[in-house]
Amino acid sequence: MLDELRELYQEVILDHGKNPRNYRDLPDANYHAHGNNPLCGDKIVVYLKLDDDKVILDCSFEGRGCAISQASASMMTEILIGKKMQDAQALFDSFHAMCTDENYDPAQYPNADEDALDRLQVMAGVREFPMRVKCATLAWHTMQAAVHGDSTASTE
Ligand code: ZN
């Protein structure tokens, strides 16, 4: 279990935690939402700039929280920029199952981008730690809330 946690934190997560990508305000964002994970104390804001075809031209985040929530938000912004919103949704569905479902089978999510899922695999270890699932998925829930017009997302 410790090895797993170590593996979970190491490399990618530490790197993203130390040097979060796209950690910035996005003044011309057309969507944003606040995400709150009270169990851990993670608070983030996710910004999105979509064009008329729902392509994500830019995505950024701000906020404070544990290494996993920050790393997950950082990875999400990197992965989503340039993708269509419907692809982001397919990716989230598959990623959420990866983090929560013991019998997760990527083949059930044929529309989810494989390269992106490979990168997100570093987060899959949270499945063993239910509290951490909320840290890992907070940014994604917040992104969804933003595009659905909700101003806040909470894991509670
Ligand atoms: Zn957290």
Side-chain angles (χ1 to χ4, degrees), residues 37 39-42 65-70 131-132 134-136 138:
N37 178 21
L39 282 175
C40 182
D42 310 317
C66 67
I68 291 177
S69 68
Q70 293 281 298
M131 293 256 309
R132 291 302 188 191
K134 298 184 173 193
C135 303
L138 177 65

Side-chain angles (χ1 to χ4, degrees), residues 137-150:
T137 57
L138 177 65
W140 292 83
H141 283 295
T142 308
M143 174 274 291
Q144 275 205 314
V147 294
H148 291 140
D150 300 325

Side-chain angles (χ1 to χ4, degrees), residues 118-133:
D118 278 351
R119 295 177 59 191
L120 291 169
Q121 195 70 41
V122 295
M123 292 281 169
V126 298
R127 201 160 55 210
E128 311 295 323
F129 311 94
M131 293 256 309
R132 291 302 188 191
V133 171

Side-chain angles (χ1 to χ4, degrees), residues 22 26 29-37 43-50 54-62 69 72-96 112 116-117 120 134-155:
N22 304 303
L26 193 57
N30 38 22
Y31 297 93
H32 80 278
H34 295 258
N36 189 17
N37 178 21
K43 284 185 181 205
I44 62 168
V45 188
V46 172
Y47 304 96
L48 291 145
K49 185 183 177 188
L50 271 57
K54 300 279 181 202
V55 174
I56 300 168
L57 300 178
D58 204 355
C59 179
S60 70
F61 80 104
E62 292 181 304
S69 68
S72 177
S74 171
M75 290 186 73
M76 181 189 80
T77 61
E78 254 194 344
I79 285 171
L80 290 189
I81 292 171
K83 286 205 166 31
K84 283 198 154 204
M85 203 48 228
Q86 69 192 57
D87 298 329
Q89 181 64 52
L91 207 46
F92 174 63
D93 291 342
S94 190
F95 174 59
H96 194 263
L117 281 176
L120 291 169
K134 298 184 173 193
C135 303
T137 57
L138 177 65
W140 292 83
H141 283 295
T142 308
M143 174 274 291
Q144 275 205 314
V147 294
H148 291 140
D150 300 325
S151 58
T152 56
S154 177
T155 57

Side-chain angles (χ1 to χ4, degrees), residues 10-22:
Q10 262 174 2
E11 291 182 45
V12 180
I13 293 181
L14 273 180
D15 176 43
H16 278 270
K18 267 190 220 155
N19 305 297
R21 320 302 197 262
N22 304 303

